[in-house]
Amino acid sequence: MRDDVTPDVPAPRRRSLLLGAGVLGAGAALAGCSAGPESTNDTGGGGSGKDRTLTAVIGYGNDGSWDPTQTASAFAMAANNHIYEGLLDTDPITRAPYPALATALPADPEATTWRFTLRDGATFHDGRPVTADDVVFVFDRILDPKTQTLAKGFFASWLESVRAAGARTVELRLRFPFPDGLARLTLAKIMPAHVYSRPGAWDDAVKGLAVGSGPYRQTAHHPKSNTTFEAFAAYNGPRRPLFRKMNWLTIVDASSRVARISGTGAGAQIADNIPYANIPRLEQGGLKVAGGAGMNNLFLMFDTRHKPFDDVRVRQALHYAIDSEKMVRVALKGHGRPASSFLNEGNPSHRRARTVYDYDPGKAKALLRAAGVSGLNVEIMAVNVSWIVDCLPTIKSCWDAVGVRTTLAPQETTAVFTKLDQRRDYQVVAAASNPNQFGLDADLIMRYNHGPENLWMRYTRWADDPVARRLFADMDRATREPDPARKKAMIQDYIDVVAEQAVLYPVVHNELMTAWDPRELTGIRPQPYPGVNLLQARWI
């Protein structure tokens, strides 16, 4: 999932990037700060009235990487948005940037030098002041060519350097005008150099060490169980903490997650990743259930060095064979749409692709015949995320119907990506992805999945294909294009290539559902990507 991961990055670290965002599942097993399943019952100190502890249920593992420069873990990214700040942060729904550690947005977003002054009195959770040197420390890590991070793929193409211009002033020098970079600054969470420059500190960050300057400080972290927070009394930024304490439970099992938010014994006030089948019962129980439509999708990924999947006609045939309308109707209970582009229809850069895989079994059969393929046996290696598993029978029945005998092999997310990391042979992978965790910017989204040094491209073994090399060159030209309308058209044109090639491509985009108790909470805005954002929520 990184644009620039290299083979010498240990596989467990690479897998930690995949948990939660690109593929949603149980998470990698990492040693943590503390442990014990019994801590899911810990309310973090109890309290009553407005001092009581908010309990949230997150449907993803909390044992992926917590390093903000590395992680794509749904749980960790959501938590880090409460613990850390960027120079700028973005609204969780509109994704519009606003000053966080910085006092203002640059007067000229088109400039190639941005200067920021840090907020007076901003301090880290250990009481030390935030300085320009801390900002430089984080960006130096992100831009260091010898350090492979997920964040590098979001910055290195356009950001040349960051330097201190005073104790509380930093200067960012851009390679070319890039206004979209303002929203991306939220992905560079500012971390204390005096903490994370210590030997072994980055490994500790992976395991859950989190010291920021944001409105909440982490008070305990129990991998596979829960993470607790309390309001940071010294916080003086724009989005003040409105809960005294929070306890976030990680409950990947859907039935257990629903049980925790519902019924007379409900122990939580909010939960994400709500199964569609449970929505009516939760609403009957007085809960509010709402969703957000975005980039969340079921995608198919092919090993292009495994014949016959090196033939674009075979990849296209298998997409045309899927009745995606039925998948939306039966598996997603109407909470989704068949993909009409790599981007979801709500994205500002969306345009219907030149190749759209409407259900056409006749065309699928014709493409297979043209490719000289018959009697094909396919095993779909799939992550065991509940809604993905619900979609798999539709794929099997459709492929069987066009003469492709199909075996379903759902398994733990970590098992799927361990095999991919070990470069084992496979045919097709079915998994979930949601680049909207990082933003709405189409350039960012496409590089996240199709960058030339991207981990996904290594899984597909497609990066050396001549079509891929032309695609990567087109992406670079679009990134540098200064005219917004021209840039949008260039991105849409290369998305047409991605659609036609169908190497890694969505079948459906679906909604993610959040449930909460409106009798207790207000200010909740459900996200179209995993996790929750409680920076504007409060007790009633």
Side-chain angles (χ1 to χ4, degrees):
M1 291 175 60
R2 290 185 289 185
D3 288 353
D4 51 9
V5 86
T6 56
D8 58 347
V9 178
R13 178 72 57 84
R14 296 203 304 278
R15 286 195 300 274
S16 71
L17 302 179
L18 293 157
L19 302 170
V23 286
L24 309 177
L30 293 170
C33 302
S34 53
E38 71 279 359
S39 61
T40 57
N41 296 317
D42 176 13
T43 61
S48 60
K50 292 188 177 181
D51 285 335
R52 66 193 186 276
T53 297
L54 171 79
T55 300
V57 180
I58 309 298
Y60 312 100
N62 72 340
D63 55 347
S65 173
W66 281 65
D67 174 357
T69 71
Q70 294 275 26
T71 193
S73 158
F75 192 111
M77 286 193 70
N80 285 345
N81 286 334
H82 297 72
I83 295 169
Y84 294 98
E85 299 175 279
L87 289 170
L88 307 179
D89 282 329
T90 58
D91 182 86
I93 306 302
T94 69
R95 313 313 286 267
Y98 63 87
L101 271 173
T103 56
L105 276 67
D108 181 9
E110 299 280 352
T112 54
T113 298
W114 294 339
R115 182 171 280 221
F116 296 97
T117 300
L118 301 182
R119 186 176 72 238
D120 188 28
T123 58
F124 289 113
H125 297 155
D126 61 2
R128 297 272 290 271
V130 182
T131 70
D133 288 341
D134 297 303
V135 178
V136 173
F137 168 76
V138 169
F139 278 101
D140 280 353
R141 173 174 169 81
I142 291 172
L143 297 176
D144 181 1
K146 297 180 181 179
T147 303
Q148 302 305 324
T149 63
L150 174 63
K152 182 180 294 175
F154 304 142
F155 291 95
S157 64
W158 58 273
L159 181 60
E160 182 176 351
S161 64
V162 177
R163 71 175 188 92
R168 293 178 45 247
T169 304
V170 293
E171 187 175 271
L172 278 62
R173 295 181 178 176
L174 282 61
R175 301 182 187 278
F176 47 85
F178 193 68
D180 287 343
L182 292 177
R184 295 193 193 185
L185 292 180
T186 189
L187 301 173
K189 300 300 186 187
I190 305 308
M191 308 167 75
H194 65 274
V195 172
Y196 291 98
S197 61
R198 297 192 306 241
W202 290 113
D203 289 335
D204 291 338
V206 169
K207 298 171 186 176
L209 174 67
V211 181
S213 62
Y216 291 93
R217 69 180 189 90
Q218 185 197 83
T219 52
H221 177 56
H222 307 268
K224 297 188 181 294
S225 175
N226 71 318
T227 304
T228 62
F229 314 82
E230 71 177 15
F232 179 40
Y235 179 74
N236 66 347
R239 297 202 170 177
R240 304 294 179 93
L242 297 175
F243 301 102
R244 188 174 70 88
K245 293 188 178 183
M246 298 192 297
N247 183 29
W248 288 21
L249 314 179
T250 169
I251 303 180
V252 177
D253 176 72
S255 59
S256 300
R257 188 164 61 254
V258 170
R260 198 65 185 242
I261 190 70
S262 61
T264 55
Q269 293 81 43
I270 184 170
D272 78 340
N273 197 18
I274 296 298
Y276 306 122
N278 294 106
I279 294 173
R281 180 166 68 86
L282 293 176
E283 290 179 334
Q284 291 168 7
L287 297 182
K288 173 72 174 178
V289 185
M295 268 294 294
N296 209 65
N297 66 86
L298 180 154
F299 68 86
L300 297 180
M301 178 173 68
F302 294 91
D303 182 346
T304 61
R305 293 189 187 171
H306 186 131
K307 290 185 178 297
F309 308 110
D310 59 332
D311 191 322
V312 65
R313 293 170 295 186
V314 175
R315 301 193 298 265
Q316 290 181 338
L318 293 176
H319 272 279
Y320 279 120
I322 298 172
D323 188 346
S324 52
E325 292 279 4
K326 177 182 177 182
M327 183 181 289
V328 169
R329 186 173 65 253
V330 175
L332 304 182
K333 312 300 182 188
H335 293 278
R337 290 186 178 184
S340 61
S341 167
F342 193 90
L343 301 175
N344 64 295
E345 293 184 12
N347 187 283
S349 294
H350 175 272
R351 179 188 72 193
R352 186 175 172 88
R354 282 198 293 263
T355 304
V356 176
Y357 295 101
D358 294 323
Y359 179 48
D360 192 337
K363 189 168 187 176
K365 291 178 182 178
L367 284 166
L368 290 171
R369 283 195 303 270
V373 173
S374 62
L376 181 61
N377 294 300
V378 174
E379 179 183 87
I380 302 176
M381 185 167 64
V383 299
N384 66 344
V385 178
S386 57
W387 72 270
I388 296 287
V389 173
D390 290 344
C391 290
L392 293 178
T394 298
I395 299 177
K396 174 176 168 53
S397 64
C398 290
W399 286 3
D400 287 344
V402 297
V404 177
R405 286 174 288 182
T406 307
T407 302
L408 303 178
Q411 52 203 273
E412 289 288 339
T413 298
T414 48
V416 172
F417 286 92
T418 294
K419 294 172 183 176
L420 294 175
D421 284 333
Q422 294 172 347
R423 301 183 183 270
R424 294 192 197 176
D425 192 29
Y426 74 95
Q427 295 175 293
V428 186
V429 164
S433 179
N434 196 332
N436 280 167
Q437 284 192 134
F438 305 105
L440 295 176
D441 164 5
D443 176 270
L444 178 155
I445 288 170
M446 297 310 297
R447 287 183 176 276
Y448 177 77
N449 285 109
H450 289 84
E453 300 298 325
N454 184 292
L455 188 56
W456 290 115
M457 290 296 96
R458 295 190 180 205
Y459 290 157
T460 63
R461 301 182 173 99
W462 188 61
D464 292 332
D465 187 283
V467 176
R469 290 198 295 268
R470 289 196 297 273
L471 169 68
F472 302 148
D474 289 344
M475 293 173 73
D476 287 341
R477 283 192 288 271
T479 299
R480 289 178 169 272
E481 173 57 47
D483 179 75
R486 175 64 182 150
K487 180 174 185 172
K488 180 177 179 180
M490 292 170 72
I491 290 173
Q492 290 170 332
D493 285 346
Y494 75 65
I495 289 176
D496 285 340
V497 176
V498 170
E500 179 188 50
Q501 292 297 309
V503 171
L504 187 161
Y505 202 71
V507 176
V508 290
H509 292 102
N510 71 314
E511 285 186 283
L512 290 175
M513 310 303 294
T514 301
W516 68 95
D517 192 335
R519 297 159 296 194
E520 296 197 76
L521 296 177
T522 187
I524 301 297
R525 293 186 294 165
Q527 300 179 164
Y529 50 96
V532 294
N533 187 300
L534 301 170
L535 294 180
Q536 293 180 298
R538 63 182 185 276
W539 296 116
I540 288 180

